[in-house]
Amino acid sequence: MIFPLAAVLTVVLDGAPVRSYNAPYLDRGRVMTPIDPYVTAIARSVGYDGRALVIRLGDLFAQVPMGTAPPPALYERTYVQLGPIARTLGARVRFDARTQTLYVDTPRMALATPTPFNPAVPLVAPREVFTPVPQQTPRPVVSGTPLPRRTPLPAQSPPNPDRPARVRSNRAAAAPPMR
């Protein structure tokens, strides 16, 4: 029996095809893609909250229930349904069955202003931050005259260009003269 060639599934994001070593596939009418590079190209952040994979884009977020957290190194082998995630993040999704192409058009993000309150976003419990109270640094007390320098500077005369340099023997270099 000869098997027909599997249709190549293509994902086009904002007019450009997305390439990956791990190809997307169809599963019961749903386009399954690896998280990296397909979902990470749409979202601003991908994280795990203990129960689900949380994919964020501005104020919008999608949650994909997962038993365990896939480490970021395995994002290119962890498959999710791209269509529902992209729609939740505000993208337009269209599938062309004839060409086996999924078109994803993300919304153009304008300069965003923070929302005052979004009840859907999970809250983070506040934690205590240690901030020390600044103390006045005491001024150093200086009295008397400064002590003489303990390490004397070697007395050298500037080199004379008219006179050749004198070479010292090893014996004279080993013991410097005492003063």
Side-chain angles (χ1 to χ4, degrees):
M1 174 181 243
I2 299 175
F3 294 101
L5 291 174
V8 177
L9 186 65
T10 306
V11 176
V12 176
L13 176 63
D14 293 329
V18 180
R19 305 282 183 222
S20 173
Y21 286 110
N22 299 320
Y25 65 91
L26 278 175
D27 181 32
R28 291 174 286 193
R30 297 286 187 171
V31 175
M32 303 295 289
T33 63
I35 295 172
D36 188 28
Y38 297 95
V39 176
T40 55
I42 298 171
R44 295 291 179 258
S45 68
V46 177
Y48 185 73
D49 72 351
R51 298 180 319 269
L53 198 64
V54 179
I55 302 156
R56 294 185 185 276
L57 177 65
D59 288 340
L60 303 173
F61 69 95
Q63 292 182 334
V64 180
M66 300 195 115
T68 59
L74 296 179
Y75 279 177
E76 56 191 31
R77 285 187 264 153
T78 305
Y79 282 77
V80 293
Q81 295 177 11
L82 182 62
I85 293 171
R87 283 187 192 97
T88 303
L89 297 178
R92 289 182 307 159
V93 179
R94 180 177 59 90
F95 183 72
D96 186 359
R98 187 178 56 79
T99 60
Q100 296 289 299
T101 305
L102 181 72
Y103 295 96
V104 179
D105 295 320
T106 58
R108 299 290 169 227
M109 299 299 286
L111 289 176
T113 57
T115 57
F117 178 70
N118 186 350
V121 176
L123 297 176
V124 176
R127 60 186 177 101
E128 222 174 277
V129 177
F130 173 72
T131 305
V133 178
Q135 297 290 324
Q136 182 74 25
T137 304
R139 295 190 68 119
V141 177
V142 179
S143 63
T145 58
L147 295 174
R149 186 180 178 115
R150 292 185 180 194
T151 308
L153 293 174
Q156 294 179 350
S157 59
N160 188 350
D162 298 334
R163 199 166 98 183
R166 193 170 66 177
V167 179
R168 296 191 328 178
S169 67
N170 284 343
R171 219 179 324 166
M178 297 290 269
R179 293 189 186 188

